[in-house]
Amino acid sequence: MRKHSIICAGIDTGKHKLDVALEGRSQELQVQNTAEGHRQLSIWLRKCRVARVGIEASGGYEQEVVRQLRRDGFVVIVFQPAQVRAYAMFHLQRAKNDKIDAGLIAACTAATKKIHAPPDPRLAPLAEVLTFIDQITEDIACLRTRHESFRDQRIKACCTSEIRRLKVLLRCELKKVVADIRRHDDLAKRLDLILSVDGIGLRTAVAILARMPEIGRVTREQAAALVGFAPYDNDSADHLGQRHIAGGRKRLRGNLYAAALPASFRWNPQLKALYKRLIAKGKPHKVALVACARKLLIYANTVVERGTPWTKEMPALTTATRSN
């Protein structure tokens, strides 16, 4: 008698090919990581009566096949590489190749108890443009550093010209993302609610909307953990270790951290008070700023959950949190 009543498949993703295995079965498949290969994969999975498919996030190479499989009605779980590695370590699985990895992902898929709803497909393209905007920002920062380091006026002029061009490109891309959001009434409403929070600017609001589809549907603790702002204990027996934040969505965390600095010094009275209170207790600047960034995220989660704009008197505790 089989341990699992449903048939699960695992996909090991490469730039050019996909290796597929079925959990507990000998059938295997290898197809090209192209639109035609995705169609062949979908037909094969349906023929094998597969209900659930697991795939490891692989630098974006998995995105097209995930979209195709979800369109074809399959339940798809996208694992972080750390999850699959941890599962392999738990089972003392040291051998590694594409076929073994596919079988490992299939087993991991079958063992998964809680399956989250897929993210809004409208948000993935927006997040991709946001990544491009973040990269442009990083390029501008690099060029500014180069501008400072060179003494040749011609080179400095080239850097200045390139910075100016990239700033225009950045504004155009951000404007395009906002226009795409405004085409959908529900997304536009969510964006306006996030923008109502003192200290959250347009770029940060777009980042929260696109990079955190769960906004307004999770508790404050879950929101902080998803972004990587949750401080985790490091205690053992009589040892009380220092708490640290870890994991989460790096780019969104960076956006919120950058927004928290001016918000906690100028724009948001509650954050200004929080920052001063933490500093008065002897907390380092960075620790206080992380706390302000976390609070900024909680405020955004609160207004989206309630469906009402931010007010300075609004408490940060969500109804989802109170019910837990």
Side-chain angles (χ1 to χ4, degrees):
M1 183 176 177
R2 284 187 55 76
K3 184 179 178 181
H4 303 286
S5 59
I6 62 172
I7 301 174
C8 298
I11 302 175
D12 181 72
T13 312
K15 182 177 181 180
H16 302 295
K17 63 182 178 68
L18 303 170
D19 285 278
V20 192
L22 300 184
E23 192 270 331
R25 302 192 178 199
S26 60
Q27 293 102 312
E28 294 177 343
L29 178 71
Q30 186 181 91
V31 296
Q32 294 299 305
N33 195 359
T34 61
E36 178 57 33
H38 302 163
R39 284 191 288 271
Q40 294 173 12
L41 170 62
S42 187
I43 292 170
W44 184 80
L45 291 173
R46 192 167 285 112
K47 186 184 297 183
C48 294
R49 300 182 183 279
V50 171
R52 187 190 299 175
V53 181
I55 189 168
E56 188 180 80
S58 182
Y61 293 126
E62 80 289 348
Q63 291 181 4
E64 287 301 323
V65 66
V66 168
R67 278 194 280 267
Q68 182 62 53
L69 291 176
R70 282 175 172 160
R71 281 196 296 265
D72 291 341
F74 293 99
V75 175
V76 181
I77 304 173
V78 181
F79 293 105
Q80 294 302 310
Q83 292 176 284
V84 179
R85 285 197 302 271
Y87 188 85
M89 289 175 65
F90 177 77
H91 289 277
L92 303 178
Q93 174 69 60
R94 293 183 174 85
K96 179 176 172 59
N97 60 42
D98 294 343
K99 290 183 179 180
I100 290 174
D101 287 349
L104 186 66
I105 295 169
C108 203
T109 304
T112 300
K113 302 298 183 185
K114 186 175 181 180
I115 301 175
H116 299 281
D120 190 332
R122 299 172 297 176
L123 298 179
L126 302 180
E128 188 171 12
V129 178
L130 275 176
T131 298
F132 181 47
I133 289 172
D134 289 343
Q135 291 169 343
I136 294 172
T137 304
E138 293 161 6
D139 290 342
I140 291 173
C142 288
L143 282 165
R144 282 175 172 161
T145 302
R146 292 171 191 167
H147 183 275
E148 291 295 322
S149 64
F150 285 111
R151 295 294 173 264
D152 188 303
Q153 293 303 312
R154 182 186 61 83
I155 297 177
K156 291 175 80 71
C158 287
C159 290
T160 301
S161 175
E162 186 65 8
I163 289 171
R164 192 179 298 116
R165 183 188 69 83
L166 288 175
K167 283 184 174 180
V168 172
L169 178 60
L170 190 152
R171 286 194 294 269
C172 289
E173 290 297 326
L174 183 58
K175 186 177 179 180
K176 180 182 180 301
V177 170
V178 174
D180 289 341
I181 291 172
R182 296 288 181 197
R183 279 197 274 269
H184 306 281
D185 292 341
D186 59 327
L187 296 183
K189 180 182 178 182
R190 212 179 306 166
L191 178 66
D192 289 335
L193 287 169
I194 298 170
L195 272 171
S196 71
V197 178
D198 291 340
I200 295 183
L202 182 60
R203 182 169 167 182
T204 305
V206 171
I208 293 171
L209 178 65
R211 297 194 188 282
M212 195 171 177
E214 305 91 344
I215 194 73
R217 295 185 286 109
V218 292
T219 67
R220 56 191 293 174
E221 292 84 3
Q222 289 169 335
L226 285 169
V227 179
F229 280 140
Y232 292 103
D233 292 343
N234 185 24
D235 302 339
S236 179
D238 295 332
H239 170 74
L240 297 178
Q242 187 175 4
R243 303 173 83 199
H244 295 281
I245 61 172
R249 298 169 190 178
K250 183 179 179 181
R251 289 196 177 276
L252 178 54
R253 186 167 64 252
N255 291 136
L256 283 162
Y257 190 77
L261 183 61
S264 56
F265 279 84
R266 183 175 181 182
W267 300 114
N268 192 302
Q270 290 180 317
L271 291 188
K272 288 169 67 176
L274 173 62
Y275 179 85
K276 290 177 181 177
R277 188 164 64 250
L278 292 173
I279 293 297
K281 289 181 178 179
K283 301 294 184 182
H285 164 75
K286 189 173 181 179
V287 171
L289 206 57
V290 167
C292 290
R294 179 169 60 247
K295 190 68 76 172
L296 205 58
L297 174 65
I298 290 170
Y299 292 160
N301 192 61
T302 300
V303 295
V304 175
E305 184 219 354
R306 294 182 177 181
T308 55
W310 168 260
T311 63
K312 291 179 175 61
E313 294 76 26
M314 179 181 287
L317 192 63
T318 66
T319 56
T321 307
R322 287 198 300 268
S323 63
N324 287 349

